[in-house]
Amino acid sequence: MSDATLTPPAKAERRWLAPTLLALVIVAALYLVVVVYATGEVLLALTLLVIAALAVWIYSAKATYAFRYLFPGIAAALVFVVFPMLYTITIGFTNYSSRNLLEFPRAEAYFLSDTFRAEGSSYEFSLHPAGAEYRGRLVDAESGAAFQFGPLALAADRRLEVAAEPEPAGAAALPEPVTLKELIGHQKALKGITVALPDGRKVGMAGLREFAAVQPLWVKQPDGSLKNQENGSVIRANPVSGFFETEAGEKLQPGFQVGIGWDNYRRIFTEARFREPFVRIFVWTVLFSALTVLFASSLGMLLAVLLNWDALRFKGSYRMLLFLPYAVPGFISILVFKGLFNQNVGEINLILSSLFGIKPQWFSDPLLAKVMLLIVNTWLGFPYMMVICMGLIKAIPADLYEASAVAGAGPLTNFWSITLPLILKPLTPLLISSFAFNFNNFVLIALLTGGRPDFIDTSVPAGTTDLLVSYTYRIAFQDSGQNYGLAAAISTVIFLMVAAVSLVQMRFTKVVEDEKR
C-alpha cells in the first residue's frame, strides 16, 4: 500500500512507527551493554556499544541505506571474530594463569574474608532442611543452651550476617540434619555466614560441626597492606608479580591479574625452554600443512581425472565409494585409524607382520608418528578435493580436448597442458584455506597422537607431533602452571604467521598469474 492511499491518521501512525521501534532497540541495546559491563566484561561491553552505535547510524541515515543488508553479517563478524581475537590478544599481555586467576579486588577480598578462631565459647552446629532453604542450630557446649537461625538460601561467594534466637521450650523438633557429604558441599557458603547471638557476641564456622567466636584474620592498613591480627605479620600486593607477598618475599595464593607488557612474547623467543620446542614445532606445522595440501589435492585431482574418463564403467559407484570418507564424521574416522594403527593388535601391524615380519612403532617412533598423521589426514582430505576438481574439470570446454586429440596429444599432455592450468587458478584459494585449516588442525592431533611422543629435552609439555595449536593447548590446560596468558600470546603469534603465509601465497599466485598474462 502506497502512502497516497493512506488516511492522515494512518500516515501519522506509520511516521511514528519507525522512530518508536528504533528507540526501543536503542534502550534494549543500552540495557544489554550496562548488564555486560556490570559483570566486568569491559571489552565485550565496548564491542556491543560500537555495534549498537553502528546499527543506529546505518538504519537511521539515508546515506547508508545500502549497508543495511550487510550490517547483520558485519555485526556477527565483530562479535564472533573480532572480539575473540582482541580478547585473546589482550590476555597475551597479562599474567593470567591458574595461579593468577582473580582480579585484584577479588583477591584482596579473599584475604579479608579469612578468619581465625578467637577466645570464647564454642557451639555444636547442625544444618537442617527447611523446604527449599535451611535452618541452622547451635548448642552451647557448656550450658546446653540452644539457638536457631535462618531460614537460609545458601550461596557461595556471599557474606551474610544473621541473628540467632533462643530455641523456645517445647518447640517442634527440626527435621533430621543434612548428611556430612551435603554439609561439606555447603561449607564454602556457611563460612561466609556470621551469626549474631542474643547477647551481642558473633560467631562463625570454625569446623564442619562447630561454630565459635571468630575474628577477621587480615585487616587492611592505610597504606594498602594487610596485617595479620593473629601473629602481627604484614603482606603487601606486588603489582609486578601479581601476588600478595610477605616481608620475606614469599608469594601467597591466590594471585591476581596484572599487565606484564610484552613479557609473554619475550619468553616465547628468548627463553630456551619455550624457544627450542616452539621452533621445532613451527617447522613441523608448516611441513604438515604443506604436505597435507600437496598429498590430498594431488590424490583428489588424480581421482577426479580418472572419474572423468569416458570409457570408465560404473563411475557413479566409484564416486560414491570415494566420497564416503568425507561423509563419515572426522572424529570417528580418526578413532578408527587409531585402532587400525595400534602397535600390538591393530590390523595394519597384523598384516605387515604376517607379510614382512615387521611391527612398526607408529605411536612411539617420531618419524612413523608423523607419517601416520599424514596418511590419516590425506585420507580425510582427498574426497573434498576430488569433488571440487571434478566440478572444475566439467567446466573445461570439450573442444579443447577434441583439438588436442586431433593434434595427437596423449592423456599426460592433456593433463599438463589443459586440465592443470585451467583448474589451478580457481583451485588456489581453496588450497590456501586448506593450508590455513591444517595449520590449526587440533582435532587430528588431539584424538590420534595427543602430540606424542614427547620431546625428552624440554621442561614444558611439547611433543614431536604437536602442531602449534596443540602445543598452545597443552601449555594452557595441561601444564602444571596452566599459563593462559602465555598461551594467548602463542595464539596471537600463530594468527600472525597464518595471515602472513596466506598473504604471501596469495601475492605469489597473483604474480604468477600476471606473468602468464
Side-chain angles (χ1 to χ4, degrees):
M1 182 182 294
S2 63
D3 290 344
T5 62
L6 294 175
T7 62
K11 289 182 179 180
E13 182 180 349
R14 186 171 182 176
R15 189 181 307 114
W16 285 101
L17 180 61
T20 302
L21 290 176
L22 183 61
L24 291 175
V25 171
I26 293 174
V27 171
L30 292 177
Y31 175 76
L32 179 61
V33 170
V34 172
V35 170
V36 172
Y37 179 80
T39 62
E41 298 293 339
V42 179
L43 188 58
L44 180 57
L46 181 61
T47 303
L48 294 177
L49 184 61
V50 170
I51 293 175
L54 286 175
V56 171
W57 176 54
I58 289 175
Y59 287 101
S60 61
K62 293 183 178 180
T64 58
Y65 188 87
F67 293 98
R68 297 180 182 182
Y69 303 97
L70 299 176
F71 181 74
I74 296 173
L78 288 174
V79 174
F80 298 109
V81 178
V82 176
F83 170 73
M85 183 176 65
L86 293 177
Y87 188 71
T88 301
I89 293 174
T90 302
I91 292 176
F93 290 97
T94 69
N95 65 340
Y96 186 36
S97 68
S98 59
R99 300 182 65 200
N100 303 84
L101 199 59
L102 305 176
E103 299 287 345
F104 175 75
R106 293 188 61 188
E108 185 181 57
Y110 176 87
F111 285 99
L112 294 176
S113 66
D114 202 1
T115 59
F116 73 99
R117 181 170 178 172
E119 295 182 0
S121 302
S122 63
Y123 299 83
E124 296 178 3
F125 167 71
S126 58
L127 184 67
H128 303 262
E133 299 179 315
Y134 298 89
R135 289 190 67 86
R137 186 171 187 267
L138 300 177
V139 179
D140 193 322
E142 297 180 359
S143 65
F147 305 90
Q148 291 186 17
F149 59 93
L152 304 170
L154 298 179
D157 299 328
R158 186 180 66 172
R159 309 296 298 178
L160 182 66
E161 182 173 325
V162 296
E165 299 177 353
E167 187 174 73
L174 292 173
E176 289 293 322
V178 300
T179 62
L180 180 62
K181 180 179 180 180
E182 190 174 355
L183 184 61
I184 293 175
H186 293 301
Q187 183 180 11
K188 188 174 182 180
L190 290 170
K191 283 188 173 181
I193 295 176
T194 301
V195 180
L197 298 175
D199 59 4
R201 290 178 298 167
K202 295 182 179 181
V203 296
M205 194 174 195
L208 280 175
R209 303 289 191 183
E210 182 184 19
F211 268 55
V214 293
Q215 292 183 6
L217 180 61
W218 300 98
V219 176
K220 190 171 183 178
Q221 303 291 98
D223 61 354
S225 62
L226 304 182
K227 183 178 181 180
N228 190 310
Q229 294 197 106
E230 190 174 17
N231 56 27
S233 62
V234 176
I235 60 174
R236 290 179 172 82
N238 188 333
V240 176
S241 65
F243 289 95
F244 280 90
E245 298 180 356
T246 64
E247 295 177 342
E250 179 185 359
K251 298 177 181 178
L252 303 180
Q253 290 285 356
F256 51 91
Q257 298 177 39
V258 294
I260 58 175
W262 297 90
D263 189 59
N264 284 323
Y265 296 92
R266 179 192 59 78
R267 295 175 66 190
I268 296 172
F269 299 106
T270 60
E271 289 189 20
R273 68 191 187 106
F274 291 111
R275 183 184 66 249
E276 292 176 0
F278 182 87
V279 172
R280 284 183 283 182
I281 291 173
F282 170 71
V283 172
W284 159 240
T285 302
V286 174
L287 286 175
F288 169 79
S289 304
L291 291 175
T292 294
V293 172
L294 176 63
F295 295 154
S297 59
S298 298
L299 181 58
M301 193 178 302
L302 173 62
L303 293 173
V305 171
L306 293 177
L307 291 175
N308 275 280
W309 182 27
D310 294 333
L312 182 65
R313 301 178 62 188
F314 311 113
K315 289 190 289 184
S317 300
Y318 295 146
R319 289 194 189 103
M320 182 184 68
L321 291 174
L322 291 172
F323 187 73
L324 282 179
Y326 191 75
V328 177
F331 77 94
I332 294 179
S333 298
I334 294 170
L335 294 177
V336 169
F337 272 104
K338 189 173 184 178
L340 293 175
F341 279 102
N342 187 281
Q343 297 170 173
N344 298 316
V345 296
E347 284 76 2
I348 292 177
N349 269 17
L350 292 177
I351 295 173
L352 292 176
S353 178
S354 61
L355 293 178
F356 306 106
I358 59 173
K359 282 190 174 182
Q361 302 298 307
W362 296 105
F363 291 92
S364 56
D365 184 273
L367 179 60
L368 291 178
K370 293 177 179 178
V371 171
M372 176 180 63
L373 283 172
L374 289 172
I375 292 173
V376 175
N377 211 29
T378 300
W379 171 266
L380 296 174
F382 85 85
Y384 182 69
M385 291 293 183
M386 178 189 71
V387 173
I388 295 297
C389 291
M390 287 174 60
L392 294 176
I393 292 173
K394 287 290 186 182
I396 298 176
D399 54 358
L400 294 178
Y401 293 105
E402 294 174 0
S404 176
V406 171
L412 290 178
T413 303
N414 288 341
F415 176 77
W416 292 108
S417 301
I418 300 176
T419 305
L420 184 60
L422 291 178
I423 70 173
L424 189 58
K425 181 179 178 180
L427 193 62
T428 298
L430 179 63
L431 297 179
I432 294 174
S433 62
S434 179
F435 178 89
F437 171 80
N438 285 289
F439 204 93
N440 295 312
N441 196 342
F442 173 77
V443 175
L444 176 66
I445 305 301
L447 294 181
L448 192 57
T449 65
R452 295 170 180 82
D454 286 338
F455 293 119
I456 59 176
D457 56 348
T458 61
S459 59
V460 296
T464 54
T465 60
D466 264 321
L467 303 182
L468 285 175
V469 62
S470 61
Y471 171 61
T472 303
Y473 174 83
R474 295 178 72 179
I475 286 178
F477 299 105
Q478 293 184 359
D479 187 15
S480 58
Q482 295 188 346
N483 197 329
Y484 310 126
L486 180 63
I490 297 176
S491 299
T492 303
V493 173
I494 294 174
F495 165 75
L496 295 176
M497 287 179 174
V498 174
V501 171
S502 299
L503 290 174
V504 169
Q505 288 181 328
M506 294 175 69
R507 180 65 179 172
F508 175 76
T509 304
K510 184 178 180 181
V511 170
V512 172
E513 292 175 1
D514 292 341
E515 290 178 352
K516 289 181 179 180
R517 292 174 185 173

